[in-house]
Amino acid sequence: MTITISKTDDFQACLALRMTVFVEEQKVPVEDELDDLDPVSTHFLASDAKGTPVGTARTYELGEIGKIGRVCVEKSQRGTGLGARLIEACLEDLRQRPHLTQAKLGAQTHAIGFYERFGFHVIGEEYLDGGIPHRDMVLDF
């Protein structure tokens, strides 16, 4: 099945995916899922051939650091490589901003190996985000 990933202004489609994956499946409190970074973020939406949203992610800037977050893939698309394609789209977007020197994300601890494949490495201690153990990871440009 053909999946397309593009920047989007359809925040509601992104939010609906995040609510399904993070709030319903992973039991993240809804108040932890919503934050003031969404209005200043670039949102990516993955859609199948019928136009159905199946994945999302966002990027934003914090000084010279490009942050990647809210990466999620609809259950039927997990294991297809879509998560990797979303990370690649985010990294491509951030690398086009010459003032950024690093990409950073908060990885759920079970996904550390996934992000290491892109060259990210762990920094700092484990912490809870939305009740889920995370570690910060960075990638130098």
Side-chain angles (χ1 to χ4, degrees):
M1 178 173 291
T2 303
I3 304 289
T4 57
I5 299 173
S6 57
K7 293 179 184 178
T8 185
D9 291 326
D10 188 354
F11 175 67
Q12 291 307 313
C14 299
L15 184 59
L17 281 165
R18 288 166 38 183
M19 288 294 162
T20 297
V21 173
F22 296 129
V23 176
E24 293 174 25
E25 291 179 24
Q26 297 183 356
K27 307 301 182 209
V28 171
V30 68
E31 59 272 15
D32 288 352
E33 178 53 32
L34 299 173
D35 63 27
D36 58 359
L37 296 169
D38 282 319
V40 299
S41 294
T42 299
H43 296 274
F44 293 84
L45 187 62
S47 302
D48 67 15
K50 296 178 183 173
T52 304
V54 292
T56 189
R58 73 179 186 189
T59 60
Y60 62 93
E61 295 182 16
L62 194 60
E64 295 181 349
I65 298 171
K67 297 273 299 207
I68 298 173
R70 301 302 198 266
V71 180
C72 64
V73 173
E74 199 271 328
K75 195 179 288 186
S76 70
Q77 294 295 320
R78 293 182 197 150
T80 66
L82 178 54
R85 290 183 55 206
L86 280 165
I87 295 301
E88 289 166 355
C90 289
L91 287 172
E92 181 179 326
D93 174 59
L94 294 175
R95 284 187 172 117
Q96 291 177 9
R97 305 178 197 189
H99 59 284
L100 297 180
T101 61
Q102 191 177 68
K104 184 176 182 180
L105 53 82
Q108 293 184 9
T109 54
H110 71 85
I112 287 172
F114 169 76
Y115 293 110
E116 286 175 335
R117 296 188 328 210
F118 298 93
F120 282 91
H121 64 274
V122 171
I123 60 167
E125 299 299 315
E126 185 175 296
Y127 59 93
L128 291 179
D129 187 2
I132 299 170
H134 282 69
R135 297 284 301 272
D136 284 339
M137 300 186 78
V138 295
L139 172 67
D140 294 325
F141 291 149

